Amino acid sequence: MLLAALRDAQSELTGPRPPRVDHQASFQQLLERLESARGGAPYFPYLSSGIGNGPWVELADGSVKLDFIAGIGVYGLGHSHPRWLQAGVQAALQDTVMQGNLQQHVPSIELCECLLKLAQAQGAGLSHCLLTTSGAMANENALKIAFHHRFPADRVLALDHCFAGRSIAMAQLTDRPHYRTGIPTVLAVDYIPAEDPEHSPQSQARSLAALEKHLQRYPGKHAALWLELVAGEGGYYPGSEEYFKKLIARAKADNVLIIFDEVQTFSRLSQPFAFQHFNLDDYADIVTLGKITQLCATLYRDELKPKGPLLSQTFTASSASIEAALVVLDELERTGCFGAAGWNMQRHDYFSQRLRELADKYPGKIAGPHGCGMMLALTPGDGSSQAANDLVHALFAAGLMSFVAGSNPARVRFLPPPAVTTNAHIDTAIEIIDKVLAANA
Ligand SMILES: Cc1ncc(COP(=O)(O)O)c(C=O)c1O
């Protein structure tokens, strides 16, 4: 009955729809209440009605948007997927809403084993999985494991543009000074220039030289090399296999642990993990993931198991998140997202070809596309943050949801839900972008 009611409710959500005039005053009031309660206006006027259909979502003002940002990569099955509903019911029938370190349900084991099996598929030696509720906490746990193992090393190496979350330590690791204004310095981070794909040999040499300098300046002091294989919040900069292998080989020579932050990249490239996409399986010491999995996790090698009560939390995840995570992993596999010629890479080729056509049609208005797999971005106009924000808001008003990424240049990015996005959805997104660019002469 629930599934039938759901299908019925979502049957009309198959294209963009403007807001309903008679909903506008009450919607505005809701936005004002939201702003007052949380102490700041939302980035765009999004308040869901609670119903959607694949990448289409209905807002509380009656409008329907094509959601190509999906909670910044979270709604991998889109909105109101029938299996979300089943996972929710399954969870509601369990005895508790939340699960924690002290008391867990059987599906937690299934999920941890499932994530480890996926991670080990091409040979990575990851043996343990710790669930948690946020990417920042998964990353905190990763750093703790690394420091604990490599004591007294107390520094971290990271790439330019990286983003690691909003805790005090993660704000320090994140390469964005204004995200840590007034925050005490709790972590020593040495940055390495990211790869410039247009000048690969020179940029690789520059990065290696920077790494060498850091290692020599602080001998034995670096616990970990922190790698976000496609810089997400930083602006969609992927590195190459060759680049990563060179950095990793040099870092490993000094016994530096390798941490892959896959909180945004997980499930978006040709393999579930980006480290698998870039053939870096042998080097994965600690890996974090999140967002699309509806909960977050830290995977690590057996020899890094902490000696002492270092890792624990009241909440590991809600029962619904755990059920939903199992469903997400199954749907990503079932819908053929992975493989060198899998659905993710096919849609990447299609979407980027169509974005390139638009870039050719509107020179000066947009450049790109950038990114890889189901992580794509455009550089609008002069690459200023004003230009990126203006384009995101114009697209939103026209029915397409995107978000900004990076600075100098700032970009407009898309994270379409991998399990449900079709080329027809991509065509609709292109039509909307085309119309918006044409209107903003
Ligand atoms: C690469 C990366 N790491 C960590 C995080 C932090 O995740 P959370 O916001 O769940 O704490 C994010 C969030 O955008 C991310 O993109």
Side-chain angles (χ1 to χ4, degrees):
M1 281 169 66
L2 286 171
L3 283 170
L6 179 69
R7 262 183 234 115
D8 198 36
Q10 50 180 187
S11 62
E12 288 181 11
L13 308 179
T14 54
R17 193 166 76 193
R20 285 177 50 166
V21 178
D22 57 339
H23 281 35
Q24 275 174 0
S26 59
F27 189 68
Q28 196 49 43
Q29 276 174 6
L30 286 173
L31 291 172
E32 282 160 18
R33 279 171 57 199
L34 174 68
E35 177 174 354
S36 161
R38 67 171 222 164
Y43 176 76
F44 41 39
Y46 180 97
L47 267 176
S48 170
S49 76
I51 185 95
N53 181 15
W56 296 106
V57 59
E58 183 190 59
L59 304 197
D61 64 358
S63 65
V64 177
K65 311 278 184 202
L66 182 58
D67 188 359
F68 265 24
I69 194 60
I72 320 187
V74 177
Y75 316 136
L77 308 189
H79 297 262
S80 299
H81 194 286
R83 293 192 70 188
W84 284 145
L85 176 70
Q86 284 170 335
V89 170
Q90 192 76 21
L93 293 171
Q94 296 177 30
D95 60 325
T96 58
V97 173
M98 297 301 290
Q99 301 187 27
N101 190 53
L102 191 63
Q103 294 171 230
Q104 305 202 20
H105 298 182
V106 175
S108 287
I109 311 171
E110 206 185 319
L111 177 62
C112 289
E113 288 176 351
C114 194
L115 288 170
L116 288 168
K117 192 165 160 224
L118 272 183
Q120 293 158 358
Q122 289 182 179
L126 297 159
S127 308
H128 305 294
C129 170
L130 189 75
L131 300 181
T132 186
T133 46
S134 76
M137 196 62 214
N139 283 347
E140 289 275 342
N141 287 335
L143 258 196
K144 275 174 148 185
I145 293 169
F147 283 136
H148 179 75
H149 187 74
R150 290 279 287 109
F151 182 81
D154 59 359
R155 303 185 76 87
V156 183
L157 292 151
L159 298 185
D160 285 356
H161 309 299
C162 79
F163 178 88
R166 303 280 189 164
S167 65
I168 292 180
M170 292 306 134
Q172 196 63 54
L173 191 45
T174 293
D175 185 22
R176 286 274 192 122
H178 61 286
Y179 286 4
R180 52 179 121 91
T181 311
I183 306 297
T185 304
V186 293
L187 191 64
V189 187
D190 296 312
Y191 292 97
I192 302 164
E195 184 171 25
D196 173 359
E198 276 160 36
H199 306 96
S200 259
Q202 299 94 311
S203 90
Q204 287 182 10
R206 200 168 50 238
S207 301
L208 268 176
L211 173 59
E212 189 63 48
K213 202 166 167 182
H214 294 314
L215 291 169
Q216 287 191 18
R217 180 170 285 152
Y218 299 105
K221 293 294 276 176
H222 293 102
L225 170 59
W226 188 277
L227 291 173
E228 195 188 348
L229 299 172
V230 182
E233 301 302 299
Y236 284 31
Y237 295 92
S240 67
E241 178 177 340
E242 189 189 13
Y243 167 77
F244 292 128
K245 283 190 170 163
K246 283 182 182 169
L247 290 185
I248 289 170
R250 179 61 195 91
K252 284 256 168 200
D254 277 24
N255 205 18
V256 174
L257 293 168
I258 308 301
I259 302 178
F260 296 126
D261 178 347
E262 300 245 11
V263 171
Q264 190 157 156
T265 48
F266 180 79
S267 89
R268 300 236 154 234
L269 308 186
S270 71
Q271 300 298 330
F273 289 89
F275 74 75
Q276 297 170 324
H277 174 90
F278 290 106
N279 294 310
L280 304 172
D281 304 70
D282 290 349
Y283 315 108
D285 292 317
I286 307 171
V287 177
T288 59
L289 58 97
K291 290 187 181 280
I292 199 168
T293 36
Q294 312 303 301
L295 44 70
C296 303
T298 310
L299 314 184
Y300 58 99
R301 288 183 188 274
D302 187 50
E303 60 268 32
L304 299 179
K305 209 152 104 182
K307 297 170 190 64
L310 208 69
L311 309 168
S312 180
Q313 282 152 231
T314 301
F315 294 148
T316 46
S318 68
S319 305
S321 306
I322 293 166
E323 293 293 339
L326 286 163
V327 161
V328 169
L329 296 178
D330 190 56
E331 278 296 305
L332 290 168
E333 203 66 52
R334 194 190 66 77
T335 53
C337 285
F338 304 122
W343 194 216
N344 277 356
M345 299 320 274
Q346 285 184 41
R347 282 169 300 178
H348 170 86
D349 291 346
Y350 186 68
F351 199 4
S352 49
Q353 173 216 319
R354 303 266 359 239
L355 289 172
R356 205 166 299 118
E357 286 163 15
L358 281 185
D360 291 343
K361 186 170 169 185
Y362 297 103
K365 282 192 177 180
I366 54 165
H370 320 277
C372 63
M374 296 293 275
M375 298 175 76
L376 282 130
L378 294 171
T379 308
D382 58 1
S384 63
S385 101
Q386 179 75 45
N389 283 307
D390 287 351
L391 183 55
V392 169
H393 283 95
L395 293 174
F396 186 92
L400 175 64
M401 288 173 56
S402 60
F403 192 42
V404 289
S407 59
N408 299 319
R411 290 176 170 165
V412 172
R413 65 173 140 163
F414 303 100
L415 284 163
V420 292
T421 301
T422 63
N423 285 355
H425 295 129
I426 292 171
D427 288 340
T428 307
I430 295 290
E431 273 167 36
I432 296 173
I433 303 169
D434 194 348
K435 237 186 260 168
V436 166
L437 293 173
N440 293 294

